[in-house]
Amino acid sequence: MRVRDGYAKDKGAWCALNRPDIEEKEADIVIFGIPFDEGVSYRSGANMGPSTLRENTFSSTPYTEDFESLTELKVHDGGDFKGTRDEIFPEVEEYTEMLVREGKFFTMVGGDHSVTIPVHKGIDDALDEEFGIIHIDAHFDLCDELGGDELSHGSTERRAIELDNVGSTDNLYFIGIRSIEPDEYQFKSKNKVNVFNAKACHEKDPEEIAGKVAEHMERFDKVYITLDIDCLEVGFAPGTGTPQFGGLYPRQVLRILEILFERLDVIGFDVVEVAPPLDAPAHTAMFAARKIITEVWGFYGKKTGKVKRADGSI
């Protein structure tokens, strides 16, 4: 069931950009949460990600690090999908399908990475064309099953390639990977997998990484970006269920995202696996997610002409 708590209905949420007085069809950006983490294979806590993040957006200002104003953007918080997997996954699919059909740019906050599965399905249901997926993560999430669960957080992209409008690993591009499961190792040995692992990301400039990813994905009119907070080096995002040493730096991630938004038609993105119980008391991973969301909205706003610099220019 989708519910909107007091924070989701507060105009002060999301850097005071939230517009609870409008409907999704009137918004520039729709954001919603999926506080579900029963798809984890290790440590839980990501179910608290959406609420903790939402609560901590009241102290953030509606400006990017390039001193651009986001105040012209109309953001609508659609609330959280709460319940069992059987209850919420179909609802998320339907909601996502509606947003894509309406042409609404959206942001989803997880939850563990399994919650991206119904989002991918909703996009697939809405389209009559192939779409691309960029997966920024420490892990491939290409397991056919993990712990007997075919809808686990380690199976996100394995389920994606089964969709009618994905169908192949060539529709996917992975960035920041530095871990592989036995199942994934066998899969990768038999299938083409487009990937820049974390080591390559540190050996090459962000411009080169993002440029090559964009070059491959430009054949798709619509691209979705899913970002697991554990893509970051552990010290920058310790509050996550399955951290991996040797990850990306914040500046690399922001620059890569900036270029991808400049060159591709990104229809939505998510940030998942922020686990506040593992993140306290500093909430480092949560603040990283908040920054990523704010800057991505700036990247999107620049493409739509709704973000202005301090001098009034666009």
Side-chain angles (χ1 to χ4, degrees), residues 15-292:
C15 314
L17 297 172
N18 191 30
R19 292 287 303 274
D21 56 316
I22 65 175
E23 297 181 357
E24 286 87 348
K25 63 182 180 181
E26 303 171 82
D28 298 308
I29 298 171
V30 176
I31 186 165
F32 62 95
I34 311 178
F36 176 89
D37 69 352
E38 295 177 22
V40 299
S41 59
Y42 189 34
R43 303 186 299 174
S44 61
N47 63 319
M48 294 179 61
S51 61
T52 301
L53 181 57
R54 187 181 281 113
E55 291 171 20
N56 283 278
T57 59
F58 289 82
S59 61
S60 186
T61 62
Y63 305 98
T64 71
E65 64 179 8
D66 285 330
F67 318 121
E68 300 156 329
S69 173
L70 305 178
T71 55
E72 296 298 314
L73 290 173
K74 292 182 289 186
V75 175
H76 178 78
D77 190 330
D80 290 331
F81 288 87
K82 294 185 176 182
T84 67
R85 176 188 284 167
D86 289 343
E87 292 169 338
I88 64 174
F89 274 31
E91 295 175 349
V92 171
E93 290 175 20
E94 184 177 354
Y95 191 67
T96 304
E97 180 182 0
M98 180 272 291
L99 294 176
V100 175
R101 289 189 184 278
E102 289 282 345
K104 295 300 171 184
F105 181 79
F106 68 92
T107 301
M108 183 272 281
V109 180
D112 71 61
H113 217 152
S114 72
V115 300
T116 300
I117 294 174
V119 172
H120 285 341
K121 182 65 166 60
I123 296 171
D124 190 66
D125 292 341
L127 299 179
D128 294 319
E129 60 183 299
E130 289 190 35
F131 67 99
I133 298 170
I134 298 173
H135 184 101
I136 307 175
D137 198 330
H139 312 87
F140 279 112
D141 295 351
L142 279 170
C143 294
D144 190 43
E145 55 85 17
L146 200 58
D149 185 4
E150 295 182 350
L151 297 176
S152 78
H153 70 161
S155 304
T156 308
E157 303 309 345
R158 190 66 167 263
R159 300 288 79 82
I161 61 175
E162 297 170 350
L163 299 173
D164 291 340
N165 293 309
V166 180
S168 165
T169 53
D170 206 39
N171 290 54
L172 277 63
Y173 220 117
F174 297 86
I175 302 174
I177 311 301
R178 52 194 186 277
S179 176
I180 191 167
E181 297 289 330
D183 179 7
E184 295 170 324
Y185 184 86
Q186 294 299 322
F187 180 85
K188 190 175 183 299
S189 69
K190 300 174 183 177
N191 297 272
K192 177 186 177 183
V193 176
N194 306 302
V195 57
F196 281 109
N197 66 7
K199 182 179 179 182
C201 290
H202 283 287
E203 292 174 344
K204 302 177 185 296
D205 292 332
E207 288 77 11
E208 182 178 356
I209 299 291
K212 290 188 176 180
V213 174
E215 182 179 359
H216 181 83
M217 304 300 278
E218 281 174 332
R219 61 193 175 97
F220 302 111
D221 289 333
K222 295 177 176 61
V223 173
Y224 185 75
I225 297 178
T226 178
L227 186 147
D228 188 323
I229 204 67
D230 71 22
C231 70
L232 291 169
E233 170 55 32
V234 176
F236 298 114
T240 189
T242 53
Q244 288 285 340
F245 184 75
L248 306 181
Y249 294 164
R251 183 53 48 197
Q252 291 173 303
V253 171
L254 291 174
R255 182 59 178 145
I256 287 171
L257 286 170
E258 182 177 22
I259 295 169
L260 294 177
F261 270 82
E262 287 173 352
R263 294 187 53 177
L264 301 173
D265 183 4
V266 181
I267 61 173
F269 84 110
D270 64 53
V271 179
V272 299
E273 297 282 0
V274 174
L278 306 175
D279 206 29
H283 288 308
T284 306
M286 184 279 299
F287 284 116
R290 190 182 76 172
K291 181 66 171 178
I292 289 169

